[in-house]
Amino acid sequence: MKIKKCLKYTRKILISLLLIVVLVNILAPLFCRKPDKGYEEKLKQITFTQEIPGEERIRCIDDNEEALLWRLRMIGTAKKSIVLSTFDLRADDSGTDLLAALNHAAQKGVKIQLLIDGIYQQLFLNGSREFQALAALENVQVGVYNPVTPGNLLRLNYRMHDKYLIIDGEMYLLGGRNSNDIFLGDKTTGINVDRDILVYDTSKGQGKSLQELETYFQQIWDEECVAGKNKEKPEDSEENSDMQILTGTDKASESERDEKLSGKYEKEYQSLKERYNSLQKKDPDMDTYNSWEKDTMAVNKITLIHNGTQAAPKTPQVLQAIHYLSKDARQITIQTPYVICNRYMYEVLDEISSHAKLRIVLNAVEKGSNPWGCTDYLNQKKKILSTGADVYELMNEHAVHTKAVLIDDRLSVVGSYNLDIRSTYLDTELMLVIDSRELNQQIQDTEDIYYEKSKEVLSNGQETEGTQYKEKVLDWKKKIFYGVLRILIRPLRQLL
């Protein structure tokens, strides 16, 4: 009887704890932090433009196959250090290509630091032997942002949404692409369109935005919510004891570490080596490429903006910066996969619309790859239009995951920030503010194509189909699905 009572009480305690975890994760994001007045004053001290080209040059990458190629070239030519910070790395075809390139660099002695979001690390990398083999190398450090552990269950909402790659302190790539087949490589189905900015610093490390990104990385790497880094390893498992040997946390000699590696991951290292050799056959100059300056264009200035590194509630700094940059603008275009706003965000859109023509380009419900964002749009469409914005419901061949803001014909803001509550208050986000009329026009040319593929919905409710708009009617199953979801997500929209 005592055992039964203990089991009964234990079950009640576990259910109560689970209920607390669920309620905290659902309710806490409802209490959004107010805009930071101190940050608003700081923005006034930043000069986002200059009249002559700076030392940093860029390449805008909109094609998924090119996006993988440029990453492989950057990693392949690395001589000293690589930093890869990514929200979603998977050991699929493109992700394993990246692992193969990183392994090749590590075998040459390049220091590698990988920073991965905790939830996606748990979902997609724990079972990857190739990733484990790479992580085991002595000169590879892996940090996991806000890992899924019993101690972190009350802050699971706080994710690392950054996507960037830094090479040798001389160049970097930053944008909205995750590190998997959905965003990289030559796949033709199940993919999303996105954008990266490759930044090459002609001054070899003195570029302002490069230094800002390196400072940002060190700040987030040092956060208490980042676990791993091959430093603290429990001693109670055979695998972690192996990892202690591999990372030099005991007195094992270098030869012992090498022997342990070659034995435990021999198959994986050989597979990664063969994969890299096959990649080199496709692109022979992958590890000798040196036309960085030739294949990039001059820009006046690049400034990094972000909303903090802590796994905790955040002030809406990225949106505050966009609002500040838009204050004297006449025309604003916001490209976002979907829109999920709270009161403050609607107020920002309303204020921008009061003095500028505001266009919002998002995926049409019939084409979007995020059912949560699409459903919230169905619920909130009238509120979005009431801000005075003209909305373009895009029917592109593939869902568009790009996040960009065009401010008149000079400034472009590109990176990882979605116009949603999660990106504004919960996740880490990075955006580049780029002063370049040429880049602005290049992105505007893409937007012009998107306008023609969209149904334009004006703030007064008038609808006009673009010349390339192709209507797609939802079948009855999806109509029922969205109908049910429209009810279910209302109390959860702050999490989407």
Side-chain angles (χ1 to χ4, degrees), residues 358-417:
L358 174 60
R359 292 170 170 170
I360 298 176
V361 184
L362 47 71
N363 293 305
V365 172
E366 298 85 352
K367 205 66 179 182
S369 60
N370 184 317
W372 317 108
C374 291
T375 304
D376 194 75
Y377 175 70
L378 292 173
N379 286 341
Q380 300 288 319
K381 184 173 179 178
K382 289 183 179 180
K383 282 190 177 182
I384 297 170
L385 293 173
S386 71
T387 66
D390 295 338
V391 176
Y392 289 78
E393 300 175 355
L394 175 59
M395 288 289 286
N396 196 50
E397 180 182 1
H398 303 294
V400 178
H401 193 253
T402 306
K403 310 95 164 48
V405 181
L406 297 179
I407 302 172
D408 287 335
D409 60 357
R410 181 165 178 171
L411 289 182
S412 305
V413 188
V414 180
S416 66
Y417 172 79

Side-chain angles (χ1 to χ4, degrees), residues 59-67 70-71 177 183 191-198 400 402-404 414 439 442-447 450:
R59 183 182 184 92
C60 181
I61 305 169
D62 287 341
D63 178 78
N64 286 11
E65 192 168 1
E66 281 192 18
W70 285 104
R71 282 166 169 78
R177 281 189 174 88
F183 301 92
I191 66 173
N192 278 201
V193 176
D194 215 311
R195 175 174 292 126
D196 297 312
I197 301 294
L198 189 159
V400 178
T402 306
K403 310 95 164 48
V414 180
L439 175 65
Q442 184 177 339
I443 297 176
Q444 186 59 61
D445 290 343
T446 300
E447 297 303 324
Y450 287 163

